């Protein structure tokens, strides 16, 4: 039923992915982010339930529960359940500091994906990027969570590749994730207008050759073990090389919901969030503005392009179906 709803939305060019900033509060102070500086007015669980039911009726199939830091909400598991009950598959995106106590077990007992951000295996670089001295805590929490053998969703360690990333460090992260039975994925560092990703000169790409080398390494590794990711890494490489990008997914494949329950086409426009009907009443204008943004300052936020990339390659991916099934058996069903 859920897959039918998602397929219908894809053919009708309606969003299937909700990016939900559960709260904008955060317990890290990342140099590449402005979100933690903001005030956050968070919806109650009941208000979230009403939004989830409305979004299900509009064809939504997935939700990223992110922030800020979603684990700062004591009712995160209930929020996961609200979306699951609506047939909207949740992915919790966390910095891992509070992924402890009974929370990992509760999430693992559900059909819920979990992505833990970890950018370096070097505690000093971790602190330099994340602004807090939490490397030991995050890695300890991942190791503890790895002892849970039955996980209902796909669990991953994810790294943002910045100018201070090295191939050696990425290989160490890859080994750590594998040791813990987690999938490992990387993403480019994004800074557009500063609404979400903030430009930091120490982290921004200068010479892109070492960055391309890291993405090419991951792409080549993924071709045999994580085929969907290899397709996305090819596009990451084009992005890092600053090649023109096809239209992003904003408004056609994904939308953003603020902690207060208002909506915007993408994370860069959350300052103009409005009730859903109001946002859609300006759909043509938003499409024009998103196209302009895509042309002049394209991003590669993880919600902004991946659905479009996979959709454009759907026939090619259909031929790779056995490889993709093997990936799901190994790491859990992301979909
Ligand atoms: S990037 Fe994420 S973890 Fe870091 S400060 Fe921003 S919201 Fe928090
Ligand atoms: S390229 Fe698209 S998703 Fe990225 S910031 Fe611009 S409008 Fe948003």
């Amino acid at each position: 039923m859920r897959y039918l709803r998602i397929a219908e939305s894809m053919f009708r060019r309606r969003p299937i992915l909700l990016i939900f900033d559960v709260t904008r509060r955060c317990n890290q102070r990342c140099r590449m982010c402005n979100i933690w500086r903001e005030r956050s007015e968070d919806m109650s669980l009941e208000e979230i339930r009403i939004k989830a039911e409305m979004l299900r009726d509009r064809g939504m199939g997935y939700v990223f529960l992110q922030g800020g830091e979603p684990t700062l909400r004591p009712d995160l598991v209930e929020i996961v359940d609200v979306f699951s009950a609506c047939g909207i598959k949740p992915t919790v995106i966390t910095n891992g500091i509070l992924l402890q106590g009974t929370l990992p077990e509760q999430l693992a007992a559900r059909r819920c994906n979990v992505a833990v951000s970890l950018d370096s295996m070097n505690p000093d670089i971790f602190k330099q990027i994340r602004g807090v001295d939490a490397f030991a805590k995050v890695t300890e929490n991942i190791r503890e969570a790895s002892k849970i053998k039955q996980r209902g969703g796909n669990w991953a360690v994810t790294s943002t590749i910045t100018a201070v990333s090295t191939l050696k460090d990425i290989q160490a992260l890859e080994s750590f994730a594998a040791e813990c039975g987690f999938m490992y994925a990387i993403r480019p560092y994004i800074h557009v207008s500063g609404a979400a990703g903030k430009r930091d000169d120490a982290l921004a790409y200068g010479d892109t050759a070492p960055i391309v080398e890291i993405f090419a390494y991951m792409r080549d590794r993924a071709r045999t073990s994580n085929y969907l990711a290899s397709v996305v890494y090819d596009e990451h490489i084009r992005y890092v090389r600053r090649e023109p990008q096809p239209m992003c997914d904003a408004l056609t494949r994904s939308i953003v919901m603020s902690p207060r329950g208002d909506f915007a086409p993408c994370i860069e426009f959350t300052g103009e969030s409005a009730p859903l009907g109001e946002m859609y009443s300006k759909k043509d204008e938003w499409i024009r503005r998103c196209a302009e943004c895509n042309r002049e300052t394209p991003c590669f936020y993880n919600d902004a392009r991946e659905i479009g990339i996979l959709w454009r390659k759907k026939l090619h991916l259909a031929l790779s179906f056995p490889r993709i099934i093997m990936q799901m058996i190994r790491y859990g069903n992301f979909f």
Side-chain angles (χ1 to χ4, degrees):
M1 184 66 188
R2 188 171 73 89
Y3 290 124
L4 278 179
R5 170 158 38 96
I6 292 167
E8 185 190 352
S9 292
M10 288 301 290
F11 280 105
R12 295 178 63 180
R13 294 181 67 76
R14 288 191 315 206
I16 62 166
L17 171 62
L18 173 70
I19 312 302
F20 177 22
D21 287 347
V22 176
T23 179
R24 296 214 140 210
R25 291 173 291 132
C26 192
N27 50 0
Q28 289 194 339
R29 296 288 179 267
C30 298
R31 296 171 63 147
M32 65 248 196
C33 174
N34 277 323
I35 292 174
W36 57 268
R37 297 170 201 272
E38 295 179 24
R39 287 169 50 82
S40 190
E41 284 177 53
D42 305 344
M43 280 184 284
S44 68
L45 188 63
E46 194 47 39
E47 288 169 319
I48 294 171
R49 191 188 317 278
I50 292 166
K51 299 285 181 192
E53 288 170 357
M54 185 255 297
L55 291 162
R56 172 201 55 205
D57 296 344
R58 286 176 163 261
M60 206 66 74
Y62 302 95
V63 59
F64 286 176
L65 300 173
Q66 57 178 46
E69 175 49 43
T71 59
L72 284 172
R73 275 198 68 142
D75 56 357
L76 176 62
V77 172
E78 285 87 346
I79 295 172
V80 164
D81 286 342
V82 159
F83 282 100
S84 295
C86 290
I88 300 176
K89 184 160 185 181
T91 296
V92 172
I93 299 179
T94 174
N95 62 35
I97 293 179
L98 293 176
L99 192 64
Q100 59 187 11
T102 61
L103 181 60
E105 278 175 15
Q106 292 189 72
L107 293 176
R110 290 161 168 80
R111 290 193 64 239
C112 171
N113 303 321
V114 177
V116 188
S117 307
L118 180 65
D119 301 331
S120 176
M121 289 305 285
N122 177 323
D124 293 332
I125 293 181
F126 179 102
K127 191 175 169 193
Q128 179 193 347
I129 297 174
R130 295 272 162 179
V132 293
D133 194 1
F135 172 81
K137 184 72 199 152
V138 172
T139 48
E140 181 198 329
N141 287 347
I142 294 172
R143 282 204 173 90
E144 278 301 308
S146 76
K147 294 177 185 165
I148 306 167
K149 294 304 169 203
Q150 295 295 323
R151 297 191 287 251
N154 173 296
W155 286 49
V157 171
T158 63
S159 305
T160 299
I161 303 301
T162 65
V164 298
S165 302
T166 63
L167 182 56
K168 198 170 163 202
D169 198 10
I170 295 308
Q171 288 167 333
L173 283 155
E174 184 189 24
S175 299
F176 172 68
E179 189 190 305
C180 296
F182 281 37
M183 198 175 90
Y184 180 60
I186 62 171
R187 310 196 186 287
Y189 170 34
I190 309 296
H191 45 85
V192 184
S193 68
K198 169 175 165 270
R199 183 185 163 89
D200 183 287
D201 287 342
L203 304 179
Y205 302 156
D207 177 11
T208 56
I211 308 297
V212 169
E213 185 189 14
I214 291 171
F215 279 97
Y217 166 81
M218 288 297 291
R219 177 202 53 202
D220 295 345
R221 299 274 296 162
R223 280 211 172 112
T224 50
S225 63
N226 190 348
Y227 192 68
L228 292 176
S230 75
V231 171
V232 174
Y233 288 140
D234 266 332
E235 303 290 325
H236 282 147
I237 290 169
R238 280 193 267 280
Y239 176 75
V240 171
R241 286 184 173 142
R242 301 191 179 101
E243 294 177 15
Q245 296 295 305
M247 188 55 206
C248 65
D249 293 341
L251 208 54
T252 50
R253 313 272 185 225
S254 64
I255 53 171
V256 176
M257 181 163 75
S258 71
R260 213 172 62 175
D262 287 333
F263 294 84
C266 92
I267 202 164
E268 282 294 321
F269 295 115
T270 45
E272 297 176 63
S273 296
L276 195 64
E278 200 178 304
M279 183 189 75
Y280 273 113
S281 70
K282 297 178 184 163
K283 188 175 177 188
D284 291 346
E285 186 190 335
W286 274 122
I287 286 176
R288 183 191 57 72
R289 286 181 64 188
C290 290
E292 184 182 297
C293 175
N294 186 70
R295 200 168 47 248
E296 292 176 8
T297 52
C299 77
F300 215 118
Y301 290 118
N302 61 354
D303 57 289
R305 296 196 183 273
E306 293 178 3
I307 300 169
I309 291 168
L310 300 178
W311 183 247
R312 283 190 292 278
K313 305 232 176 196
K314 52 188 175 300
L315 297 179
H316 178 75
L317 293 176
L319 295 174
S320 305
F321 195 62
R323 277 202 267 186
I324 294 166
I325 293 294
M326 290 307 293
Q327 169 192 344
M328 288 181 189
I329 291 169
R330 186 167 173 193
Y331 295 118
N333 178 6
F334 185 84
F335 299 103

